[in-house]
Amino acid sequence: MAYTRPPYKTFRQELNADDWNTYVRDNFEAGAPAIFTTKGDIAVASDIETAIRLPIGNDNYYLRVNTAGTAGVGWSSFEKAKMTRASNQSIANATTTTILWNSETFDNGGLANPANGRMTAPSPGIFELRSKLVILRGAQTLAAGEQMWLTLYKNGGALIHLDWYTAEVTRDSWLYMTLEGQFIDRALNAGDYYTVTLTHYIGGAVDVAHTSSFFEMERV
Amino acid sequence: MAYLTPPTKSDGNILTAAEWNTYVRQNMIDTPPDVFTQAGQLLIGTGVDSASLLAPGGEGYFLRANSAQALGVDWDVFDKGLVQFAQTTLANSTTTRLQMASLAFSVGSISVNTTNDWVSVGRAGYYRLGWRMRWHRNGATIPDAAYFEAYLYFNGALVSTLCRFTSETALIPNQWESLYFTGHVLHEATGAGSYYIDVFQNSGSTSTFVSGDSMSQLSVMRI
């Protein structure tokens, strides 16, 4: 039922049944609160002199401008997710290896996939990604000049190195060390996905520890 | 808000004074903009043909869906606070709670307890914690394989190992005065609770965790 602006009446011009039904009854019915049906409904303009009912969103969703929708605003959450390793992951020497994050700590918004270790943008937007790798030395000695680096990938292509370590001297006392970093990226399309890799040249395999290693993504 | 649907009229029907007063006058009084009394109010549905006013929220608050509320929505803020640490003496080979001095600022339900040295969040949610810590050797000689570690806890449960530094004799560790450790982590707090940081160092002597505005801080932000 649409709103129709009432006509201007002149002196002694009658108000007939059509006037009443169109300009009083229907106009009231086209606005708030007549268009409400449920707790939390909000009336929002959808065009000139046109209001629609915006149904309540999911709990902890926030009202946000969204020009793609009819109402121009919509309920959405700031999606966030975190994955870790359920066990240590061995990384071979001189081999760029994708970290298979296989344990989901939380996933608010459907970002995380512990089956393949990917974080995926559910819709376009700007996201912050963070990762920390706790690398166990095991039996390896880190010789001067040997390196390891943590890289963030987007849709299968290297996006940025989050951290890079080069040993200046032979190091044989460490039990573990961490590589970590963060980056903000714009996902242009729903389905854009992110992974992290570890590359090292230490001479033998090392483990990425399941304790305190993580991969996080959040909409910002 | 007692809105009443106006009746349908046919040719020849009379509009009575009672109908005018009920379906035109009173309906207008009970609907926007007549119903508004101050800036920032929102009209929110409460059921079929019914609505109530939501009072203006606090500065910087966001409209949030919240089915526990009578209107189904409320104004919400992203709690945030910045903890300043106090200078803390770290005895050798002893797990030590980092001392918290104050909150530089806070919004929402963030508070600090300087007796127990924890920062509390007043409700469940997802929190991003960022830390910057400065460890000072106080001129002591740091032996090979000595290390410094820090751990973040929530309600007594380990959230994450924040850092670990291991010295190497070949790195000439006694040339440095301080080490900085920084990082971030996301955590889901399933309810109100408290975060704190424990550190451990086995350099062979007492060292110091340094305080100061630009030295050692912990940020807590609900996201």
Side-chain angles (χ1 to χ4, degrees):
Chain A
M1 200 167 293
Y3 169 84
T4 308
R5 180 174 291 175
Y8 183 80
K9 293 283 187 181
T10 56
F11 183 60
R12 295 201 174 196
Q13 193 175 7
E14 70 172 5
L15 177 68
N16 60 34
D18 282 346
D19 288 336
W20 172 268
N21 294 336
T22 302
Y23 304 119
V24 179
R25 183 199 63 188
D26 290 355
N27 278 354
F28 272 117
E29 289 294 287
I35 61 174
F36 292 156
T37 63
T38 311
K39 182 175 90 172
D41 285 347
I42 297 176
V44 178
S46 60
D47 206 338
I48 296 173
E49 297 178 356
T50 306
I52 61 172
R53 165 183 166 263
L54 180 69
I56 185 64
N58 295 330
D59 270 357
N60 293 315
Y61 276 40
Y62 294 86
L63 194 61
R64 182 172 64 177
V65 174
N66 178 8
T67 56
T70 306
V73 296
W75 295 100
S76 64
S77 68
F78 291 90
E79 302 95 332
K80 71 276 294 183
K82 179 173 187 168
M83 291 191 289
T84 62
R85 285 283 308 171
S87 59
N88 296 350
Q89 180 178 349
S90 179
I91 310 295
N93 185 59
T95 306
T96 296
T97 304
T98 300
I99 307 302
L100 300 176
W101 305 104
N102 56 6
S103 179
E104 178 185 295
T105 308
F106 56 79
D107 184 8
N108 181 297
L111 308 176
N113 186 346
N116 57 21
R118 292 179 180 177
M119 292 287 193
T120 302
S123 60
I126 298 174
F127 296 87
E128 182 167 344
L129 299 111
R130 286 181 295 273
S131 185
K132 178 163 89 171
L133 302 184
V134 177
I135 298 162
L136 304 177
R137 179 169 73 92
Q140 303 302 323
T141 296
L142 193 57
E146 292 184 335
Q147 305 179 67
M148 60 181 86
W149 60 90
L150 167 65
T151 307
L152 176 67
Y153 279 65
K154 180 180 183 181
N155 296 331
L159 186 60
I160 192 168
H161 296 304
L162 296 178
D163 201 1
W164 192 302
Y165 177 79
T166 304
E168 292 285 342
V169 297
T170 297
R171 301 194 60 180
D172 57 6
S173 294
W174 57 283
L175 295 174
Y176 64 82
M177 64 173 59
T178 58
L179 295 177
E180 62 184 311
Q182 61 197 79
F183 189 67
I184 291 179
D185 187 57
R186 180 188 295 274
L188 296 176
N189 304 294
D192 283 350
Y193 67 91
Y194 300 87
T195 53
V196 292
T197 66
L198 174 63
T199 308
H200 73 83
Y201 289 84
I202 299 180
V206 295
D207 279 352
V208 170
H210 69 280
T211 302
S212 295
S213 298
F214 61 75
F215 186 27
E216 300 171 344
M217 178 175 177
E218 63 174 291
R219 187 187 294 274
V220 295
Chain B
M1 198 164 295
Y3 168 80
L4 292 173
T5 302
T8 300
K9 292 288 187 180
S10 302
D11 285 346
N13 284 169
I14 293 173
L15 175 65
T16 66
E19 287 175 326
W20 170 264
N21 292 335
T22 301
Y23 301 115
V24 178
R25 180 180 180 277
Q26 195 59 47
N27 275 350
M28 285 189 174
I29 289 172
D30 288 342
T31 57
D34 193 303
V35 72
F36 292 145
T37 60
Q38 65 179 120
Q41 290 177 326
L42 292 180
L43 185 70
I44 307 296
T46 54
V48 176
D49 288 353
S50 65
S52 288
L53 288 175
L54 178 68
E59 185 73 22
Y61 278 51
F62 297 86
L63 191 64
R64 175 181 67 164
N66 183 353
S67 60
Q69 297 295 317
L71 296 182
V73 297
D74 62 6
W75 296 106
D76 189 39
V77 68
F78 292 100
D79 312 60
K80 52 189 74 78
L82 182 66
V83 177
Q84 304 279 19
F85 286 110
Q87 185 156 307
T88 307
T89 299
L90 308 177
N92 190 57
S93 294
T94 304
T95 298
T96 305
R97 178 81 47 88
L98 284 190
Q99 295 170 18
M100 296 183 180
S102 62
L103 275 175
F105 60 81
S106 70
V107 174
S109 64
I110 308 293
S111 62
V112 69
N113 182 317
T114 56
T115 301
N116 296 307
D117 295 311
W118 62 48
V119 57
S120 296
V121 296
R123 54 179 168 163
Y126 297 93
Y127 291 87
R128 184 201 307 158
L129 298 108
W131 61 89
R132 167 206 267 278
M133 297 182 290
R134 182 185 176 197
W135 182 43
H136 187 55
R137 72 181 177 88
N138 288 339
T141 298
I142 307 299
D144 185 59
Y147 60 90
F148 173 90
E149 287 182 326
Y151 307 91
L152 176 68
Y153 290 87
F154 180 73
N155 288 348
L158 179 66
V159 173
S160 183
T161 301
L162 302 184
C163 60
R164 174 169 173 138
F165 166 77
T166 304
S167 70
E168 297 270 358
T169 300
L171 286 175
I172 320 178
N174 298 311
Q175 298 303 309
W176 54 266
E177 288 298 316
S178 298
L179 285 179
Y180 282 91
F181 303 94
T182 63
H184 294 84
V185 69
L186 278 184
H187 178 250
E188 181 183 12
T190 54
S194 301
Y195 293 97
Y196 59 88
I197 293 177
D198 279 351
V199 299
F200 180 91
Q201 63 91 14
N202 65 345
S203 65
S205 59
T206 297
S207 58
T208 305
F209 182 83
V210 179
S211 63
D213 288 348
S214 61
M215 300 297 182
S216 302
Q217 300 163 327
L218 174 67
S219 62
V220 182
M221 294 184 288
R222 197 171 69 84
I223 59 172

